[in-house]
Amino acid sequence: MKGLEIIKKAFSLEEVDRVPWVPFVGCHGANITGVTAAEYLKSADLIFNGVSKSIEIYNPDGIPVVFDLQIEAEALGCQLAWSDDNPPAVISHMLSEGKSLSDLRIPTVHDGRIPVVIEATRKIRKAYPDIALYGLITGPYTLALHLLGTDIFLKMMEAPVEVHELLEFTKKVGLAMTKYYIDAGCDVIAVVDPMTSQIDPGSFEMFVHSPAKEIFDFIRSEEKLSSFFVCGHAQQNIEAMCATGPDNVSIDENIPLDFVRDIALKNKISFGGNLKLTVVLLMGTPDDARRDAMECIDLGGKKGFVLAPGCDLPGDTPIENIQAVSELVHDEYLQNVERAKEKSDIQLDLLNMKDYGRVNKVIVDIITLDSESCAPCQYMVEAVKRIAPYFEGIVEWHEHAIKKMEAVTFMSSLLVKNIPTICIDGKIAFVSKIPPQNELIAAIQKRINEKLKLIISSQKAEILILGISEQECQLAKDKVELAIKETGKEILVKTSTLQTDREKFGVLNTPSIVLTEHKIKAQGDVPSVDVIKEWLKEI
């Protein structure tokens, strides 16, 4: 059965002979053809070469034209930061930098890089008529966040009408992009809206449901297929996603596949996912890839399930790992062999985190897929960067992108299960939620206060007796120790005969008694025990 046919059957909830397979090849297409992501995403010919190579070596049933959620934002005037390995990142937000919504216009097929991807779509369609060709558009909520920045979270509470107006605009952009892709030959329009993982079902219903539903209704009216694609910990919104009426929902490894399967099938919607992107496909072996794919296939079943990675494949994902998945999908014998193997998880040598966070500074760790390629990760990192100047010299922050094994180990050692996540001094603070500035500041300030209390309570009280000789110090020491005993205090007593110590405290006469806070209490004579007991009350 040809790829497009099997995708259509899966989307229609018909039982299939084998599970369909859609590798989300984005900038990986650049890597396997020897060009940078920046070059690749600006050239229709290079995109065509990368997709063609991917079809040749991965034998997919469906494939996206590109995986770039910044195309619409760029066409609307947002500035991008380009990378050699990842899609670009949005670094300016038009509506928070002086522009108003009335200044913006729906991009035409000639604006920005839209003509590049549409030309690539036509070339791929002509060369591969039997593949299900996916056109990925930026979801209305994610595009709204690109235009407004994280201010959108506050405006949802304080100015909901403005947010509705913005979502109405981004919906129209989505409808326009959908039409451009359909006219160029796409079979499936995937609305990719990762930032919806940051909101609760009530907010989803209020702001996202209507614009998303209108897009899916339009796709259906054009007799094409649709998918609602979300990454991150969006488990709370799967039911709400289904209610918008897509033909398919697609998720990543943050959400259990059987959880999505049960909700999707109950709503008569197909579902896709959720191969482990980094630990398995990027950093694992072909055996790891086959094992993970087999688990997904067995969980998903042959009715309504499309096997796919949970997001855009990292550029340098080993070819042999993706090929291992493809071979398994197309070979029932290999599947039976894989099922017979003993299952075992990848073992990590976890770090000892017992003393993590005990330094004087507060350490903020952001566990991400990679802020250069993951929109929720990017905005979570930006949230921390924005408040860092408030705590200069007191707070350190670090991003741990789990495209590297040491970051995976660090993530597992902190018991982090979902990304992106913010940890403060080794404790999980915000999971798959970009915190408002005031909440993040409050959480860090709370930890600073806790740490100050710990530092103060851990400091042992101390009395230092300074003298010319040990003999001279002994009488004062005996009286001090007696006073300590009678008051029940826990105080360390030290003696010193060093001239440098006497000079440090400005002692002119000995013996001298110095309390913890370095206040000289006696010089030249030894006070009575009762006097010393009064001093001890200060400690």
Side-chain angles (χ1 to χ4, degrees):
M1 185 178 292
K2 296 175 181 178
L4 178 56
E5 293 177 52
I6 195 170
I7 291 288
K8 285 182 175 180
K9 288 192 73 171
F11 274 45
S12 300
L13 302 184
E14 297 178 46
E15 191 156 321
V16 293
D17 294 332
R18 65 166 177 83
V19 167
W21 153 239
V22 179
F24 284 111
V25 175
C27 291
H28 180 72
N31 186 276
I32 61 177
T33 51
V35 296
T36 68
E39 293 169 329
Y40 183 79
L41 293 172
K42 296 175 184 177
S43 166
D45 288 338
L46 293 180
I47 292 170
F48 175 78
N49 292 342
V51 172
S52 297
K53 183 71 173 178
S54 300
I55 292 171
E56 173 192 333
I57 61 179
Y58 300 140
N59 193 15
D61 298 299
I63 200 163
V65 179
V66 290
F67 203 121
D68 181 350
L69 302 186
Q70 290 67 234
I71 291 171
E72 295 94 328
E74 181 187 29
L76 287 164
C78 293
Q79 294 182 1
L80 306 183
W82 286 90
S83 166
D84 286 344
D85 305 307
N86 299 302
V90 173
I91 57 172
S92 71
H93 310 291
M94 306 295 292
L95 300 182
S96 63
E97 297 174 354
K99 292 281 187 180
S100 67
L101 194 57
S102 61
D103 295 323
L104 304 182
R105 297 288 180 268
I106 306 299
T108 72
V109 75
H110 305 292
D111 291 329
R113 285 181 295 121
I114 296 174
V116 170
V117 296
I118 296 306
E119 182 185 348
T121 303
R122 290 196 177 98
K123 289 168 68 73
I124 298 165
R125 173 77 296 157
K126 182 177 180 181
Y128 303 98
D130 299 326
I131 294 273
L133 192 56
Y134 280 60
L136 273 54
I137 70 169
T138 308
Y141 188 76
T142 297
L143 181 56
L145 203 137
H146 283 335
L147 294 174
L148 183 58
T150 53
D151 290 348
I152 194 172
F153 299 119
L154 186 60
K155 283 188 176 290
M156 286 166 64
M157 295 181 287
E158 296 184 349
V161 172
E162 289 184 33
V163 178
H164 280 296
E165 290 172 350
L166 175 56
L167 268 292
E168 176 67 16
F169 175 78
T170 56
K171 175 204 72 179
K172 291 177 180 177
V173 176
L175 288 169
M177 290 297 295
T178 295
K179 182 63 173 167
Y180 303 154
Y181 271 121
I182 289 175
D183 288 347
C186 281
D187 307 290
V188 182
I189 302 300
V191 177
V192 189
D193 215 344
M195 296 309 300
T196 58
S197 65
Q198 303 297 303
I199 57 177
D200 60 85
S203 298
F204 188 104
E205 172 66 26
M206 180 179 293
F207 295 105
V208 180
H209 174 87
S210 180
K213 187 175 188 309
E214 285 193 48
I215 294 174
F216 294 129
D217 287 347
F218 175 72
I219 296 168
R220 188 167 290 109
S221 73
E222 293 285 312
E223 299 183 343
K224 299 296 181 180
L225 301 173
S226 64
S227 177
F228 202 158
F229 194 145
V230 67
C231 60
H233 189 57
Q235 188 164 329
Q236 74 279 8
N237 289 329
I238 298 301
E239 193 82 56
M241 290 170 63
C242 290
T244 62
D247 297 305
N248 171 273
V249 293
S250 192
I251 49 94
D252 71 8
E253 64 208 71
N254 277 281
I255 309 175
L257 186 59
D258 53 351
F259 175 87
V260 176
R261 176 198 65 203
D262 293 346
I263 291 178
L265 292 180
K266 180 187 72 174
N267 286 277
K268 296 182 172 50
I269 291 172
S270 70
F271 60 103
N274 68 341
L275 287 166
K276 294 182 177 65
L277 202 63
T278 55
V279 175
V280 171
L281 292 179
L282 178 62
M283 293 178 287
T285 65
D287 282 342
D288 297 328
R290 277 187 289 267
R291 180 169 58 246
D292 188 42
M294 194 68 254
E295 290 177 3
C296 290
I297 289 170
D298 285 342
L299 275 175
K302 292 184 177 180
K303 182 180 178 181
F305 176 56
V306 177
L307 179 67
C311 196
D312 181 17
L313 284 167
D316 53 353
T317 303
I319 290 174
E320 57 270 23
N321 288 356
I322 310 174
Q323 285 179 318
V325 174
S326 177
E327 290 165 1
L328 185 83
V329 167
H330 290 91
D331 192 327
E332 191 170 353
Y333 171 75
L334 282 180
Q335 294 177 24
N336 291 331
V337 170
E338 194 60 41
R339 288 189 184 99
K341 290 181 180 178
E342 181 180 352
K343 292 185 170 77
S344 62
D345 293 329
I346 297 173
Q347 298 298 314
L348 299 173
D349 293 326
L350 299 184
L351 306 172
N352 183 354
M353 309 301 285
K354 177 174 172 288
D355 295 321
Y356 192 76
R358 293 196 177 184
V359 295
N360 287 339
K361 290 185 177 182
V362 171
I363 307 299
V364 178
D365 294 299
I366 316 147
I367 317 300
T368 69
L369 174 63
D370 186 343
S371 62
E372 290 188 355
S373 59
C374 163
C377 300
Q378 174 194 344
Y379 288 117
M380 187 169 271
V381 170
E382 284 186 5
V384 174
K385 287 171 69 174
R386 191 179 304 113
I387 62 92
Y390 291 98
F391 300 101
E392 189 171 355
I394 304 172
V395 171
E396 285 185 11
W397 69 271
H398 309 279
E399 179 186 358
H400 305 269
I402 64 167
K403 287 184 177 179
K404 296 183 179 178
M405 185 55 77
E406 57 263 31
V408 174
T409 302
F410 185 80
M411 170 183 171
S412 300
S413 301
L414 288 179
L415 304 180
V416 171
K417 301 295 184 184
N418 303 104
I419 52 175
T421 288
I422 291 176
C423 296
I424 299 176
D425 269 349
K427 305 295 182 185
I428 295 172
F430 299 98
V431 179
S432 290
K433 174 193 174 186
I434 299 169
Q437 181 171 307
N438 61 329
E439 286 187 27
L440 183 55
I441 289 174
I444 293 173
Q445 188 62 60
K446 180 182 177 184
R447 180 54 185 161
I448 291 171
N449 295 341
E450 290 172 351
K451 188 162 278 191
L452 280 173
K453 290 178 182 177
L454 288 171
I455 291 171
I456 291 169
S457 64
S458 66
Q459 287 178 338
K460 294 281 187 182
E462 182 179 298
I463 289 179
L464 180 62
I465 300 170
L466 303 173
I468 302 298
S469 66
E470 288 293 344
Q471 184 178 2
E472 185 181 39
C473 294
Q474 191 60 48
L475 175 60
K477 184 180 180 184
D478 290 343
K479 288 189 176 183
V480 167
E481 288 179 343
L482 179 58
I484 290 171
K485 184 177 181 181
E486 291 182 4
T487 56
K489 294 277 188 178
E490 188 176 334
I491 301 171
L492 181 65
V493 181
K494 294 182 179 179
T495 62
S496 174
T497 58
L498 297 175
Q499 183 176 342
T500 52
D501 282 343
R502 296 195 296 276
E503 291 174 351
K504 180 170 67 175
F505 292 109
V507 168
L508 302 176
N509 300 301
T510 58
S512 178
I513 300 173
V514 182
L515 296 187
T516 305
E517 63 268 35
H518 299 164
K519 290 181 180 178
I520 299 172
K521 305 302 289 187
Q523 288 194 73
D525 64 346
V526 179
S528 68
V529 171
D530 287 338
V531 171
I532 296 173
K533 285 163 68 174
E534 287 301 312
W535 294 345
L536 298 183
K537 293 179 182 178
E538 301 176 18
I539 300 179

